Amino acid sequence: MSISVLLFPGLSKTGLEEPQGKMQTICRPKAPNLWKNECSILAGSGAKIKIDKVESVHPAYECITPLRCLLLKETDPKKWETINQLQDHINNIKNSEMDAVIKRNTIDYLKNYIKYNGAESSEIYRMCGILLINSFELKHNGQRVRGIYPQAAMMAHDCIPNTKHAFDDDLTLILRATVVIRKGNPITSTYTNILWNTLQRRKQLQVTKHFLCTCRRCSDPKELGTHLSTLLCSECGAHMWSTAPLDNDASWSCQKCPNTILGKTVSWGDQILYKELCGVDQHSARQLEEFLENYKKALHPKHRFFMEAKYALVKFYGNHPEHRYRDMTREQLERKVEYCHELLELAGIIDPGLSLFRGTLLFELQGALVAQARLLLSNDVITKEGTQDYMTEAVKYLKEASEILKQEPEMEKGGLDAKLKVLSEELDI
């Protein structure tokens, strides 16, 4: 798969104080010129490339983006200078599992099979490092691709970011502040999944970005009171957390009894549960509910895996053909409302302000409240006047959700109106 190199010259200075501001501006390369230079090299090599499955990983695809970047030295010196100034972390990469992958799939392929002589092996290796460390992942034409946005790559990482980013139809990167950023404070983004716990976040950052985060969230064994990492003691049921969260090998101790667990054991168990949750059918509410039930004696109620399962259920209830609002039971609606409130409390700590996470939850919550009011009214549990409290609360959440979601590229062009129309028809309002 050919992966476009995307560059942008700078962020505008607007929007740094007010969360509603849009910090953006990139320039995208003209499509016709993206492939010409590397195509002539691939064609001129005389090597026959046979690819049976376009969607499969093949060195012919993996080498294109590094090659495209290297060719900028001759075709666009200004862009070359910009990309060449980015960090590469090659010393760290050489001691990782990516070392053999880069040498086999990119360097050997370009030098020995394609016979490319326009750059030394060390230059190719460094470019692979730049791409690995600085690229953004995005979806384009249904495919996951990488894009280089040099100035955005300069943003500091934080596990509680103060910005969010999205990509519009022409692959423009749109960066927005989610909270007020005071003058002199860093503009931060997150390079990992906001819902992951400390073990998983730090592991991914070490593998993909070659640094270990030491932010205040990572440094706190309770993750700022969210308990996304907290386990339950097998001896007494009390809370267990790491004695030194910045050390993956540190033991975990019970806060009530002498019970301890080796850090390696916790890490192993974390990976096992991660694979199990990934294997759960995301189109089956029953399997997600069973996961919550099966591990309620081992994991804190707000543990990362529980919150991920609850978030999946929030998006499932009311949106899936088998669980439409009009068909949901009172218990299911109550469960959705409860999960929304739990997740909103979590969002207020780890992803506050105008984040997509909060916007999605607020939208789902208002729909559940309207459905709940209609069900209670139809069953004579509350009067028509009694529904007003539900509706007032729902309107408040809808207003805030709309202010957040209307900023998303897919919602700006009528997507939010369409979503509201479907919801209105579903709820018959």
Side-chain angles (χ1 to χ4, degrees):
M1 169 169 54
S2 179
I3 304 176
S4 302
V5 178
L6 307 171
L7 305 172
F8 78 81
L11 296 171
S12 68
K13 294 183 179 179
T14 61
L16 296 181
E17 290 290 336
E18 293 299 324
Q20 292 81 4
K22 182 189 291 186
M23 299 181 290
Q24 61 163 39
T25 64
I26 73 162
C27 11
R28 60 190 186 280
K30 296 179 180 179
N33 296 325
L34 279 175
W35 49 267
K36 285 185 177 179
N37 298 303
E38 68 263 20
C39 192
S40 63
I41 291 174
L42 295 172
S45 67
K48 293 184 178 181
I49 303 172
K50 182 180 180 180
I51 301 174
D52 297 323
K53 296 181 179 180
V54 175
E55 68 274 10
S56 64
V57 176
H58 192 282
Y61 292 130
E62 293 191 40
C63 75
I64 290 177
T65 302
L67 177 60
R68 180 172 294 165
C69 293
L70 290 165
L71 291 174
L72 291 174
K73 185 188 299 185
E74 301 297 331
T75 61
D76 196 329
K78 187 175 180 180
K79 285 185 179 179
W80 166 255
E81 183 180 355
T82 300
I83 200 170
N84 195 41
Q85 290 176 353
L86 296 174
Q87 290 185 329
D88 54 55
H89 286 294
I90 57 174
N91 290 330
N92 293 324
I93 295 172
K94 287 178 179 178
N95 295 318
S96 74
E97 59 189 30
M98 289 302 299
D99 179 68
V101 175
I102 291 173
K103 289 177 178 176
R104 180 183 65 250
N105 289 4
T106 303
I107 297 176
D108 285 351
Y109 195 82
L110 285 175
K111 300 294 287 184
N112 300 326
Y113 191 75
I114 301 299
K115 308 299 182 183
Y116 171 62
N117 296 315
E120 298 296 326
S121 297
S122 58
E123 292 180 277
I124 300 173
Y125 195 103
R126 181 171 183 272
M127 187 52 61
C128 289
I130 288 174
L131 289 166
L132 184 66
I133 299 302
N134 298 282
S135 61
F136 285 78
E137 184 178 290
L138 58 148
K139 287 186 177 181
H140 183 52
N141 294 331
Q143 300 290 331
R144 293 169 62 186
V145 300
R146 291 183 299 171
I148 289 291
Y149 299 81
Q151 193 163 354
M154 295 293 114
M155 286 191 297
H157 162 81
D158 199 295
C159 291
I160 307 177
N162 55 26
T163 68
K164 62 180 178 181
H165 67 269
F167 304 91
D168 65 10
D169 293 340
D170 64 1
L171 303 184
T172 297
L173 185 152
I174 302 170
L175 184 70
R176 286 188 172 95
T178 53
V179 296
V180 173
I181 304 174
R182 300 298 180 188
K183 184 177 180 180
N185 289 344
I187 300 173
T188 61
S189 180
T190 183
Y191 302 157
T192 184
N193 190 311
I194 200 76
L195 276 178
W196 285 354
N197 57 9
T198 299
L199 275 174
Q200 187 66 30
R201 292 195 315 278
R202 298 185 84 236
K203 178 181 179 181
Q204 196 219 15
L205 289 170
Q206 185 176 30
V207 170
T208 61
K209 302 299 181 182
H210 296 279
F211 75 90
L212 286 169
C213 184
T214 58
C215 74
R216 60 192 181 98
R217 179 180 169 189
C218 289
S219 302
D220 183 357
K222 294 182 286 184
E223 294 206 41
L224 306 179
T226 63
H227 292 288
L228 287 169
S229 296
T230 302
L231 307 176
L232 298 183
C233 178
S234 59
E235 299 294 328
C236 68
H239 296 171
M240 296 191 75
W241 51 66
S242 175
T243 56
L246 298 183
D247 180 2
N248 288 348
D249 294 327
S251 62
W252 287 51
S253 63
C254 177
Q255 302 306 300
K256 187 176 180 180
C257 76
N259 188 27
T260 61
I261 306 176
L262 293 175
K264 291 182 179 180
T265 301
V266 175
S267 182
W268 175 79
D270 199 76
Q271 291 304 305
I272 294 296
L273 285 179
Y274 173 69
K275 291 179 181 179
E276 181 173 339
L277 184 58
C278 287
V280 169
D281 185 358
Q282 297 297 311
H283 299 289
S284 170
R286 181 182 58 81
Q287 288 190 26
L288 289 165
E289 290 163 354
E290 287 178 352
F291 181 89
L292 294 173
E293 179 66 24
N294 291 341
Y295 293 102
K296 65 181 182 181
K297 293 184 178 180
L299 305 177
H300 190 283
K302 296 181 180 180
H303 190 277
R304 163 255 178 120
F305 294 124
F306 275 9
M307 300 311 270
E308 286 190 33
K310 290 176 181 179
Y311 189 41
L313 284 168
V314 161
K315 293 187 289 184
F316 189 89
Y317 289 140
N319 298 305
H320 193 274
E322 295 180 6
H323 285 79
R324 299 167 67 184
Y325 276 123
R326 65 185 66 177
D327 301 322
M328 288 173 64
T329 65
R330 179 177 177 179
E331 290 74 21
Q332 288 173 329
L333 286 169
E334 289 175 347
R335 199 176 299 143
K336 175 162 181 170
V337 171
E338 177 188 348
Y339 292 167
C340 281
H341 282 300
E342 285 184 20
L343 287 159
L344 280 167
E345 181 182 0
L346 173 64
I349 299 173
I350 65 172
D351 203 14
L354 304 180
S355 67
L356 177 58
F357 185 36
R358 283 194 70 252
T360 302
L361 289 169
L362 288 165
F363 188 88
E364 294 295 338
L365 176 56
Q366 61 86 25
L369 286 172
V370 174
Q372 193 176 35
R374 291 182 60 82
L375 179 64
L376 294 177
L377 179 63
S378 65
N379 291 332
D380 296 324
V381 177
I382 58 176
T383 63
K384 190 172 183 179
E385 290 73 22
T387 64
Q388 293 305 309
D389 290 339
Y390 287 86
M391 301 304 287
T392 299
E393 189 176 8
V395 168
K396 180 185 70 173
Y397 292 138
L398 177 58
K399 182 179 179 180
E400 187 177 358
S402 298
E403 287 299 313
I404 297 172
L405 296 178
K406 73 180 183 181
Q407 297 177 351
E408 300 301 316
E410 66 272 19
M411 296 294 182
E412 285 183 325
K413 301 175 181 178
L416 182 57
D417 291 337
K419 197 173 181 70
L420 286 168
K421 182 180 180 182
V422 170
L423 180 63
S424 297
E425 292 173 350
E426 172 66 21
L427 294 173
D428 192 26
I429 54 176

